[in-house]
Amino acid sequence: MHFDIWTTGIATVPVECLILGVFEEGELTEEARAVDAASGGRIGALLARGDLSGKIGETLLVTDLTGTKATRALLTGLGPKKNFARRAWRRALSAALTAVARTRIASVALAVTRPGAKELDDYYLGRAAAELTGATLYQVNDLKTGKKPKAAALDTVLAGPVRRAGAAAARRGLAHGSAVAYAMRVQRDMANLPSNVCTPSYIAEQARAIAKGVPTLKVQVLDHAALKREKMGCFLAVTQGSEEPAKFIIMEHRHSKSAATVVLVGKGITFDTGGISLKDPGAMDEMKYDMSGAAAVIAAVGLAAELRLRLNVVGLVASCENMPSGKAIKPGDIVTSASGQTVEILNTDAEGRLILCDALHYARRYKPAAVIDIATLTGACVIALGAHHTGVMSNDDALAREIISAGLRADDRAWQLPVTEEYAEQLKSNFADFANIGGREAGAITAAAYLAKFTQGMKWAHLDIAGTAYVGGAHKGSTGRPSPLLADFLIHRAGR
Ligand code: BES
Ligand code: MN
Ligand code: ZN
């Protein structure tokens, strides 16, 4: 894919198709007006006929255009003018790129007036262009035999309009956007694979493959014996019912000794049956996505290296299956975590927090400026926030705000839930330091309250992506979230 910007007059942009915006009120954007004038009112005539309503998601391909070097235009609806902001602009571009991907058009110029430089500067224009193109053209790595559907013809995307003064920023945005698209693809490819292919060993291999030949990246994989040496009793408890070997993957992007370190911790349950506290069979296949946090972490560390971010980024991935068997942990079992605290496992289906707590403890040795765990942790978070916002819980409000801002800029939104002390009371146990579940109320928060017991003294945030990392039903698949949010967070931390 070739990305660049366009700065000259719209009539001379050397592409096959211009992407132009039209408001729901029937009003044309600046670039659309220019093309309309050059073509003798062609676009206005189509709108007058009612061929495009201007609603977001609606598009219309105009062919045999005259007066411009491009002989086609793809009109895309921007919705009502008063709601026009970053998100509407992005959705309109997505719809346009999706429509282009169904044609044999090979080159396009994005010429949809931006909602305003404050909403979307030149850098984010470039970033959105590359990222949305990548996301639109993504093809699921299915295991179907027979011919793959033909790839889209699209191979050139020019972002604009950009003034000369903004060209460098826009080009930087394009490079960063390509990296974000790549990170999303890495996450989605891994998460879409079934658990008999995407095992903990497979995830470790992927981390190694990404690091291969990249001088700033280092990967180390701890096996069962090493986990015992690290005394990761909670992680070991989850994996003990499974035949598939567990892996603890350490992936480091090292910028310099003096740079601050961000540690990302990923939940890598390659399949979550619930264990002895067995899940309902309905949609249990979706528990193959329970390693989405791990995939996002590996993708983010890879992105940090690709963009040579001036930051040390460490990815820690705890990966295993959660299975019922004669060797599996049972409700009421008590284990000792790497931190030394004891845990009564009242529900074996609350396994994510068990593997994360030992990984979070491991993070301490890096003296991180911030540690963020990413996990498909609770069904309760899906009930609270649905598929639209990732749940953010933190012991540091500034860090939570930083994450939420990154999500807004990246259009990968997150919403904060409170983790005040009261919630920890729900974790009380008669027999151990605390239990691994806190009852029905505030399930997303009590999971975070459990993790908070292992992160004291560190600036920590927890992202619950159970509702955002994948979609079920007819369009089942990984979404690649929260890779855009993580990328934005790291890029900003490093100083873009
Ligand atoms: N992986 C699940 C959480 C989940 C549920 C992700 C639905 C995506 C969709 C997690 O391991 C789990 O089973 N959590 C339990 C916790 C409960 C036992 C306290 C849950 O949410 O039901
Ligand atoms: Mn579970
Ligand atoms: Zn799980």
mmCIF file with all atom_site columns, all heavy atoms in Angstrom, residues 267 272 274 279 287 290 322 348-352, ligand 2:
data_model
loop_
_atom_site.group_PDB
_atom_site.id
_atom_site.type_symbol
_atom_site.label_atom_id
_atom_site.label_alt_id
_atom_site.label_comp_id
_atom_site.label_asym_id
_atom_site.label_entity_id
_atom_site.label_seq_id
_atom_site.pdbx_PDB_ins_code
_atom_site.Cartn_x
_atom_site.Cartn_y
_atom_site.Cartn_z
_atom_site.occupancy
_atom_site.B_iso_or_equiv
_atom_site.pdbx_formal_charge
_atom_site.auth_seq_id
_atom_site.auth_comp_id
_atom_site.auth_asym_id
_atom_site.auth_atom_id
_atom_site.pdbx_PDB_model_num
ATOM   1  N  N   . LYS A 1 267 ? -3.607  -10.530 29.351 1.00 0.00 ? 267 LYS A N   1
ATOM   2  C  CA  . LYS A 1 267 ? -4.245  -11.809 29.688 1.00 0.00 ? 267 LYS A CA  1
ATOM   3  C  C   . LYS A 1 267 ? -4.241  -12.684 28.450 1.00 0.00 ? 267 LYS A C   1
ATOM   4  O  O   . LYS A 1 267 ? -4.830  -12.329 27.430 1.00 0.00 ? 267 LYS A O   1
ATOM   5  C  CB  . LYS A 1 267 ? -5.688  -11.581 30.167 1.00 0.00 ? 267 LYS A CB  1
ATOM   6  C  CG  . LYS A 1 267 ? -6.492  -12.879 30.353 1.00 0.00 ? 267 LYS A CG  1
ATOM   7  C  CD  . LYS A 1 267 ? -7.906  -12.626 30.868 1.00 0.00 ? 267 LYS A CD  1
ATOM   8  C  CE  . LYS A 1 267 ? -8.719  -13.927 30.932 1.00 0.00 ? 267 LYS A CE  1
ATOM   9  N  NZ  . LYS A 1 267 ? -10.118 -13.718 31.384 1.00 0.00 ? 267 LYS A NZ  1
ATOM   10 N  N   . ASP A 1 272 ? -11.007 -20.345 27.538 1.00 0.00 ? 272 ASP A N   1
ATOM   11 C  CA  . ASP A 1 272 ? -11.557 -20.279 28.888 1.00 0.00 ? 272 ASP A CA  1
ATOM   12 C  C   . ASP A 1 272 ? -12.844 -21.096 28.979 1.00 0.00 ? 272 ASP A C   1
ATOM   13 O  O   . ASP A 1 272 ? -13.913 -20.629 28.605 1.00 0.00 ? 272 ASP A O   1
ATOM   14 C  CB  . ASP A 1 272 ? -11.831 -18.815 29.262 1.00 0.00 ? 272 ASP A CB  1
ATOM   15 C  CG  . ASP A 1 272 ? -12.362 -18.662 30.685 1.00 0.00 ? 272 ASP A CG  1
ATOM   16 O  OD1 . ASP A 1 272 ? -12.353 -19.664 31.427 1.00 0.00 ? 272 ASP A OD1 1
ATOM   17 O  OD2 . ASP A 1 272 ? -12.766 -17.538 31.035 1.00 0.00 ? 272 ASP A OD2 1
ATOM   18 N  N   . GLY A 1 274 ? -13.899 -22.073 31.804 1.00 0.00 ? 274 GLY A N   1
ATOM   19 C  CA  . GLY A 1 274 ? -14.384 -21.807 33.157 1.00 0.00 ? 274 GLY A CA  1
ATOM   20 C  C   . GLY A 1 274 ? -13.734 -22.753 34.158 1.00 0.00 ? 274 GLY A C   1
ATOM   21 O  O   . GLY A 1 274 ? -13.761 -22.512 35.359 1.00 0.00 ? 274 GLY A O   1
ATOM   22 N  N   . LYS A 1 279 ? -18.377 -23.102 32.255 1.00 0.00 ? 279 LYS A N   1
ATOM   23 C  CA  . LYS A 1 279 ? -19.279 -22.128 31.622 1.00 0.00 ? 279 LYS A CA  1
ATOM   24 C  C   . LYS A 1 279 ? -20.440 -22.832 30.925 1.00 0.00 ? 279 LYS A C   1
ATOM   25 O  O   . LYS A 1 279 ? -20.344 -24.006 30.592 1.00 0.00 ? 279 LYS A O   1
ATOM   26 C  CB  . LYS A 1 279 ? -18.502 -21.332 30.556 1.00 0.00 ? 279 LYS A CB  1
ATOM   27 C  CG  . LYS A 1 279 ? -17.589 -20.284 31.112 1.00 0.00 ? 279 LYS A CG  1
ATOM   28 C  CD  . LYS A 1 279 ? -16.938 -19.496 29.976 1.00 0.00 ? 279 LYS A CD  1
ATOM   29 C  CE  . LYS A 1 279 ? -15.968 -18.459 30.521 1.00 0.00 ? 279 LYS A CE  1
ATOM   30 N  NZ  . LYS A 1 279 ? -16.578 -17.419 31.344 1.00 0.00 ? 279 LYS A NZ  1
ATOM   31 N  N   . MET A 1 287 ? -14.786 -17.925 23.748 1.00 0.00 ? 287 MET A N   1
ATOM   32 C  CA  . MET A 1 287 ? -13.724 -17.856 24.756 1.00 0.00 ? 287 MET A CA  1
ATOM   33 C  C   . MET A 1 287 ? -12.336 -18.122 24.163 1.00 0.00 ? 287 MET A C   1
ATOM   34 O  O   . MET A 1 287 ? -11.331 -18.076 24.856 1.00 0.00 ? 287 MET A O   1
ATOM   35 C  CB  . MET A 1 287 ? -14.031 -18.787 25.926 1.00 0.00 ? 287 MET A CB  1
ATOM   36 C  CG  . MET A 1 287 ? -15.110 -18.210 26.836 1.00 0.00 ? 287 MET A CG  1
ATOM   37 S  SD  . MET A 1 287 ? -14.623 -16.588 27.512 1.00 0.00 ? 287 MET A SD  1
ATOM   38 C  CE  . MET A 1 287 ? -15.918 -15.530 26.911 1.00 0.00 ? 287 MET A CE  1
ATOM   39 N  N   . ASP A 1 290 ? -10.189 -15.028 24.552 1.00 0.00 ? 290 ASP A N   1
ATOM   40 C  CA  . ASP A 1 290 ? -9.782  -14.634 25.904 1.00 0.00 ? 290 ASP A CA  1
ATOM   41 C  C   . ASP A 1 290 ? -8.274  -14.337 25.999 1.00 0.00 ? 290 ASP A C   1
ATOM   42 O  O   . ASP A 1 290 ? -7.773  -14.035 27.075 1.00 0.00 ? 290 ASP A O   1
ATOM   43 C  CB  . ASP A 1 290 ? -10.192 -15.739 26.895 1.00 0.00 ? 290 ASP A CB  1
ATOM   44 C  CG  . ASP A 1 290 ? -10.631 -15.190 28.245 1.00 0.00 ? 290 ASP A CG  1
ATOM   45 O  OD1 . ASP A 1 290 ? -10.926 -13.984 28.333 1.00 0.00 ? 290 ASP A OD1 1
ATOM   46 O  OD2 . ASP A 1 290 ? -10.668 -15.978 29.210 1.00 0.00 ? 290 ASP A OD2 1
ATOM   47 N  N   . ASN A 1 322 ? -7.689  -22.525 30.426 1.00 0.00 ? 322 ASN A N   1
ATOM   48 C  CA  . ASN A 1 322 ? -8.430  -22.766 31.667 1.00 0.00 ? 322 ASN A CA  1
ATOM   49 C  C   . ASN A 1 322 ? -9.342  -23.959 31.427 1.00 0.00 ? 322 ASN A C   1
ATOM   50 O  O   . ASN A 1 322 ? -10.373 -23.829 30.765 1.00 0.00 ? 322 ASN A O   1
ATOM   51 C  CB  . ASN A 1 322 ? -9.238  -21.516 32.047 1.00 0.00 ? 322 ASN A CB  1
ATOM   52 C  CG  . ASN A 1 322 ? -9.931  -21.659 33.399 1.00 0.00 ? 322 ASN A CG  1
ATOM   53 O  OD1 . ASN A 1 322 ? -9.511  -22.476 34.238 1.00 0.00 ? 322 ASN A OD1 1
ATOM   54 N  ND2 . ASN A 1 322 ? -10.979 -20.890 33.612 1.00 0.00 ? 322 ASN A ND2 1
ATOM   55 N  N   . THR A 1 348 ? -13.455 -20.982 39.746 1.00 0.00 ? 348 THR A N   1
ATOM   56 C  CA  . THR A 1 348 ? -12.302 -21.217 38.850 1.00 0.00 ? 348 THR A CA  1
ATOM   57 C  C   . THR A 1 348 ? -12.461 -20.463 37.535 1.00 0.00 ? 348 THR A C   1
ATOM   58 O  O   . THR A 1 348 ? -11.525 -20.397 36.742 1.00 0.00 ? 348 THR A O   1
ATOM   59 C  CB  . THR A 1 348 ? -12.120 -22.721 38.544 1.00 0.00 ? 348 THR A CB  1
ATOM   60 O  OG1 . THR A 1 348 ? -13.254 -23.190 37.805 1.00 0.00 ? 348 THR A OG1 1
ATOM   61 C  CG2 . THR A 1 348 ? -11.967 -23.532 39.828 1.00 0.00 ? 348 THR A CG2 1
ATOM   62 N  N   . ASP A 1 349 ? -13.668 -19.904 37.311 1.00 0.00 ? 349 ASP A N   1
ATOM   63 C  CA  . ASP A 1 349 ? -13.878 -19.122 36.092 1.00 0.00 ? 349 ASP A CA  1
ATOM   64 C  C   . ASP A 1 349 ? -13.348 -17.688 36.233 1.00 0.00 ? 349 ASP A C   1
ATOM   65 O  O   . ASP A 1 349 ? -13.261 -16.955 35.252 1.00 0.00 ? 349 ASP A O   1
ATOM   66 C  CB  . ASP A 1 349 ? -15.373 -19.111 35.741 1.00 0.00 ? 349 ASP A CB  1
ATOM   67 C  CG  . ASP A 1 349 ? -15.622 -18.730 34.296 1.00 0.00 ? 349 ASP A CG  1
ATOM   68 O  OD1 . ASP A 1 349 ? -14.645 -18.636 33.526 1.00 0.00 ? 349 ASP A OD1 1
ATOM   69 O  OD2 . ASP A 1 349 ? -16.799 -18.520 33.934 1.00 0.00 ? 349 ASP A OD2 1
ATOM   70 N  N   . ALA A 1 350 ? -12.998 -17.302 37.449 1.00 0.00 ? 350 ALA A N   1
ATOM   71 C  CA  . ALA A 1 350 ? -12.356 -15.997 37.623 1.00 0.00 ? 350 ALA A CA  1
ATOM   72 C  C   . ALA A 1 350 ? -10.850 -16.231 37.546 1.00 0.00 ? 350 ALA A C   1
ATOM   73 O  O   . ALA A 1 350 ? -10.095 -15.960 38.489 1.00 0.00 ? 350 ALA A O   1
ATOM   74 C  CB  . ALA A 1 350 ? -12.770 -15.366 38.947 1.00 0.00 ? 350 ALA A CB  1
ATOM   75 N  N   . GLU A 1 351 ? -10.413 -16.765 36.378 1.00 0.00 ? 351 GLU A N   1
ATOM   76 C  CA  . GLU A 1 351 ? -9.018  -17.181 36.209 1.00 0.00 ? 351 GLU A CA  1
ATOM   77 C  C   . GLU A 1 351 ? -8.117  -16.061 35.703 1.00 0.00 ? 351 GLU A C   1
ATOM   78 O  O   . GLU A 1 351 ? -6.922  -16.069 35.942 1.00 0.00 ? 351 GLU A O   1
ATOM   79 C  CB  . GLU A 1 351 ? -8.949  -18.378 35.248 1.00 0.00 ? 351 GLU A CB  1
ATOM   80 C  CG  . GLU A 1 351 ? -8.890  -18.038 33.741 1.00 0.00 ? 351 GLU A CG  1
ATOM   81 C  CD  . GLU A 1 351 ? -10.138 -17.326 33.228 1.00 0.00 ? 351 GLU A CD  1
ATOM   82 O  OE1 . GLU A 1 351 ? -11.169 -17.389 33.911 1.00 0.00 ? 351 GLU A OE1 1
ATOM   83 O  OE2 . GLU A 1 351 ? -10.063 -16.698 32.151 1.00 0.00 ? 351 GLU A OE2 1
ATOM   84 N  N   . GLY A 1 352 ? -8.723  -15.089 35.017 1.00 0.00 ? 352 GLY A N   1
ATOM   85 C  CA  . GLY A 1 352 ? -7.911  -14.028 34.417 1.00 0.00 ? 352 GLY A CA  1
ATOM   86 C  C   . GLY A 1 352 ? -7.130  -13.270 35.475 1.00 0.00 ? 352 GLY A C   1
ATOM   87 O  O   . GLY A 1 352 ? -5.921  -13.047 35.358 1.00 0.00 ? 352 GLY A O   1
HETATM 88 MN MN  . MN  B 2 .   ? -13.225 -17.211 33.109 1.00 0.00 ? 2   MN  B MN  1
#
